[in-house]
Amino acid sequence: GQQVMQIPQYQHVQEGEDFTTYCNSSTTLSNIQWYKQRPGGHPVFLIQLVKSGEVKKQKRLTFQFGEAKKNSSLHITATQTTDVGTYFCFTPGGSYIPTFGRGTSLIVHP
Amino acid sequence: EAGVAQSPRYKIIEKRQSVAFWCNPISGHATLYWYQQILGQGPKLLIQFQNNGVVDDSQLPKDRFSAERLKGVDSTLKIQPAKLEDSAVYLCASSLVFGQGYNEQFFGPGTRLTVL
């Protein structure tokens, strides 16, 4: 079946440093979504990527979808304390069960 | 626009007891999901409904878990009997339509279940 690996599991940064989380799938994906979950909160949708090689930006966040549509990344430039939380990639399914990655917890030190 | 509603927010039960969770999705959302999120992990899909039909329940432990979505609107998830390993947050989410273009999921606040 489909496997979704997300790394790293945790990332500590100083405020102002950059952050990247990676998501890798064992199968080719039709699309991929990213969610953010604040501590004690519920996942909130950030973005969906559909096209091979797609790059989307939201202010300091940059999302990429690999050319082979088997991997994706989320990059945050100049982190702020408001960026704290766990970032999940999500593969919506189709031929496979919709699956969340394990998540990357971002801890920002002021 | 009202979000996804869930109740209760917290529940503590003894093992072997029964428990039920309720979810009311965003109005007009055809697809409803139940997830189990164990501490430190990503949400795991238990069951997915499209209107009142089941799209996927392959990861639902059917010997103890059941779910229904009568009339294609709100839904209940039941555990009977509960085990210690069922301690988790149960999240309900809804989206407009599954598998067609933009299917962003909107999550409810979740129910935190503790089984003692």
Side-chain angles (χ1 to χ4, degrees):
Chain A
Q2 183 183 51
Q3 302 244 353
V4 177
M5 301 296 294
Q6 192 173 354
I7 57 169
Q9 189 172 352
Y10 300 95
Q11 183 79 57
H12 288 256
V13 300
Q14 290 293 130
E15 189 172 16
E17 292 182 337
D18 292 356
F19 160 80
T20 305
T21 173
Y22 302 90
C23 187
N24 297 295
S25 170
S26 57
T27 59
T28 301
L29 304 169
S30 57
N31 54 56
I32 193 165
Q33 297 176 353
W34 285 91
Y35 289 78
K36 176 183 178 180
Q37 186 173 26
R38 294 183 185 276
H42 55 273
V44 175
F45 177 84
L46 293 176
I47 208 157
Q48 174 169 287
L49 304 171
V50 179
K51 299 177 183 177
S52 169
E54 189 169 16
V55 178
K56 287 188 176 180
K57 293 190 176 184
Q58 291 178 351
K59 297 183 180 178
R60 295 178 293 104
L61 278 62
T62 301
F63 304 84
Q64 293 190 330
F65 201 9
E67 293 288 343
K69 299 183 75 173
K70 296 179 75 171
N71 58 77
S72 181
S73 65
L74 158 60
H75 180 83
I76 303 178
T77 303
T79 55
Q80 300 175 357
T81 54
T82 53
D83 296 325
V84 165
T86 301
Y87 294 84
F88 294 98
C89 60
F90 172 74
T91 58
S95 300
Y96 299 96
I97 300 168
T99 302
F100 275 88
R102 192 182 177 109
T104 297
S105 293
L106 172 63
I107 300 101
V108 180
H109 299 278
Chain B
E1 176 181 270
V4 176
Q6 286 189 251
S7 67
R9 292 294 310 276
Y10 305 91
K11 190 75 177 178
I12 300 174
I13 61 173
E14 301 275 339
K15 60 183 179 183
R16 291 187 290 272
Q17 285 186 325
S18 302
V19 64
F21 312 126
W22 174 82
C23 172
N24 186 255
I26 292 173
S27 177
H29 281 196
T31 307
L32 185 147
Y33 311 78
W34 281 103
Y35 290 91
Q36 179 193 60
Q37 186 173 25
I38 292 172
L39 188 64
Q41 299 183 17
K44 173 187 171 185
L45 181 70
L46 294 175
I47 190 166
Q48 177 182 338
F49 293 95
Q50 177 87 347
N51 297 309
N52 60 348
V54 175
V55 175
D56 190 298
D57 64 356
S58 58
Q59 299 189 123
L60 186 73
K62 297 181 186 65
D63 57 333
R64 299 184 301 106
F65 287 64
S66 65
E68 60 182 10
R69 190 184 185 196
L70 299 176
K71 300 180 182 179
V73 181
D74 55 355
S75 176
T76 56
L77 175 70
K78 296 179 182 177
I79 307 175
Q80 181 180 7
K83 293 185 175 181
L84 296 177
E85 59 261 36
D86 298 332
S87 294
V89 175
Y90 291 84
L91 294 162
C92 179
S94 69
S95 65
L96 273 172
V97 180
F98 169 69
Q100 291 186 18
Y102 207 74
N103 55 353
E104 166 187 357
Q105 292 179 78
F106 295 83
F107 283 82
T111 297
R112 183 176 298 276
L113 174 67
T114 302
V115 182
L116 303 175

